[in-house]
Amino acid sequence: MELASYAEYAVRLVNSEEPARGTDTLTSLDAVRQLSGAGTRTASMADEADLPRLRAVRARLRAVFEAASEGAETTAVDLLNGLLVEFPVSPVVSGHDLLDEEGRPRWHLHLADSAATATASYTALAAMGLAMHLTSLGADRLGICQAAPCRNAYLDTSTNRSRRYCSDRCATRANVAAYRARKRQESLAAEQHSAQQQTTEQEATERKVTEPKVTEPKVTSPR
């Protein structure tokens, strides 16, 4: 697995909670195991104590995404560095499980998993993956969904750094909401224009009614 792909671990953990909607799926031991995937060493080590630990890490990872999405890159990096120091990893060169067409190993960096707890293991991988993503593509590639009330985290891999939403569903919802808002604004502007026009016409009519008629003097011709 490429190191940057571990950044999805961070996204997965952060998005296990939706604060604005009051939902949290990280409420059981099975949920902890599902984060890293069945059959992984991290899943096999998981116990009830990892629930509060992972929730604490989740809050710290969300802070990284929020700082990055607000343009506070230095803050995001400082927060991420704190996790990297607290949950270190041991990179090693591996290739035994990936061969080329000629049967030779495709050497690549691999993160050795020697953590004592499931939380430490998961966080070390997530933080390193996020660091690889950030240093390769930029801190502005870490985002928070702009389709309120959704506040899910996402990794922007677009070519023009244009991603603003965590999913196509949120993008569609935001576009529909923006369209409806424009229509409401246009309708309000039309109503205001019509009302102003009616007021102007009414004032003009009232002036005509109240203005005294000017009678021209009658001119008589001499006999």
Side-chain angles (χ1 to χ4, degrees), residues 10 40 56 60 68 83 117 128 133 145 149 176 191 199 215:
T40 62
R60 295 171 67 180
L83 287 166
T117 67
M128 178 55 73
H133 189 91
C145 187
V176 169
E191 289 176 1
T199 300
T215 304

Side-chain angles (χ1 to χ4, degrees), residues 108-147:
H108 61 280
L109 279 177
H110 178 75
L111 299 183
D113 191 353
S114 57
T117 67
T119 296
S121 174
Y122 192 95
T123 306
L125 297 176
M128 178 55 73
L130 210 54
M132 293 297 296
H133 189 91
L134 185 152
T135 54
S136 298
L137 300 177
D140 59 342
R141 296 300 189 121
L142 310 183
I144 293 292
C145 187
Q146 299 301 301

Side-chain angles (χ1 to χ4, degrees), residues 25-26 55 57 65 76 96 117 125 130 140 162 172-173 178 196 214 221:
T25 60
L26 192 59
R55 290 193 193 110
V57 170
F65 278 93
H96 58 82
T117 67
L125 297 176
L130 210 54
D140 59 342
S162 60
T172 299
R173 183 163 56 81
Q196 181 65 37
V214 178
S221 57

